[in-house]
Amino acid sequence: MNNNPKEILSLKHVTYDAGIVVAEDNDIAASQRIDTITGVAGSTETDNTITLAVIATRIEHPRNAVVTITAGGGLTGGAKVTLYGMGLQGVRVSEVFTYVTSAAAITGNVPFLTIDRASIYGATGTLASGDVVKIGAGAKIGLPRGVDEEVVEVVKERFDSAEIAVTGTLNRQYGTYIPTSTLDGSKFLELWYTTKKVITW
């Protein structure tokens, strides 16, 4: 009996409608004061839930998230933002974004179908009005696959019915792809890609 792992390769095709747009830096939660979110102007936190825009409950296409934390008052460090939502495989997912510089866009990897809740915590310093956070959709588009499948390769890209050379960036671990095409919210994007499933029987 051969117990070596075997692989099943599949070719998949997905079409994203003409509403798909480039990355947005504040379409999930517009810029908000950290001291208002946490309920204090210091380190003792009482309420850390970020108010999300309506679009957060219905992200039009599976995307990663980008969190931008700006220190413009009294924030000295420590701030983290955790996003909670639904992933591509229909399971609950979350991702932690950690503040590292005075003003940095922190790019996530997890493709979210929805973002239902966000929280910020751990901020140090005496917070002021210039210490803000905003959340947007990133450039990485999720490729649908099974929970036990890994994306292997994007083999074909078509944008506005035209063939595009595949030179985008694939992340196999998270199953995301940054398209070669420049998305503009008015053209269709089609992708063909292969997935791999490992079996042992």
Side-chain angles (χ1 to χ4, degrees):
M1 180 177 179
N2 185 354
N3 290 323
N4 292 328
K6 303 172 181 64
E7 296 177 351
I8 297 176
L9 294 175
S10 300
L11 176 65
K12 299 185 185 298
H13 170 238
V14 62
T15 301
Y16 295 105
D17 66 34
I20 194 164
V21 296
V22 297
E24 299 287 349
D25 66 358
N26 65 353
D27 56 345
I28 295 173
S31 184
Q32 300 176 62
R33 290 175 56 168
I34 296 173
D35 59 350
T36 301
I37 297 165
T38 58
V40 296
S43 59
T44 305
E45 297 168 354
T46 57
D47 179 10
N48 65 352
T49 302
I50 297 173
T51 302
L52 297 177
V54 174
I55 195 172
T57 63
R58 54 173 186 83
I59 297 174
E60 300 295 343
H61 307 89
R63 307 293 281 262
N64 70 308
V66 176
V67 174
T68 302
I69 297 175
T70 301
L75 177 66
T76 57
K80 295 180 184 294
V81 175
T82 299
L83 303 182
Y84 304 87
M86 188 70 67
L88 269 175
Q89 290 84 16
V91 297
R92 303 295 298 176
V93 294
S94 64
E95 189 169 17
V96 179
F97 297 75
T98 303
Y99 166 88
V100 291
T101 65
S102 59
I106 311 163
T107 301
N109 291 302
V110 174
F112 286 91
L113 279 176
T114 67
I115 294 178
D116 308 311
R117 185 167 64 89
S119 63
I120 184 167
Y121 52 95
T124 58
T126 302
L127 304 181
S129 61
D131 302 313
V132 296
V133 60
K134 60 184 177 181
I135 306 169
K140 303 173 185 178
I141 299 172
L143 300 173
R145 68 191 195 285
V147 292
D148 54 356
E149 289 182 307
E150 175 187 346
V151 176
V152 176
E153 183 179 12
V154 174
V155 296
K156 184 178 179 181
E157 180 175 340
R158 182 184 293 163
F159 187 59
D160 195 26
S161 300
E163 299 284 336
I164 303 295
V166 178
T167 60
T169 304
L170 174 67
N171 184 315
R172 290 186 175 89
Q173 179 181 355
Y174 292 96
T176 59
Y177 179 69
I178 301 176
T180 309
S181 310
T182 301
L183 308 178
D184 59 9
S186 64
K187 301 179 182 68
F188 288 86
L189 172 69
E190 294 180 86
L191 299 171
W192 286 258
Y193 56 101
T194 55
T195 62
K196 176 177 67 177
K197 178 179 179 179
V198 177
I199 58 177
T200 56
W201 44 264

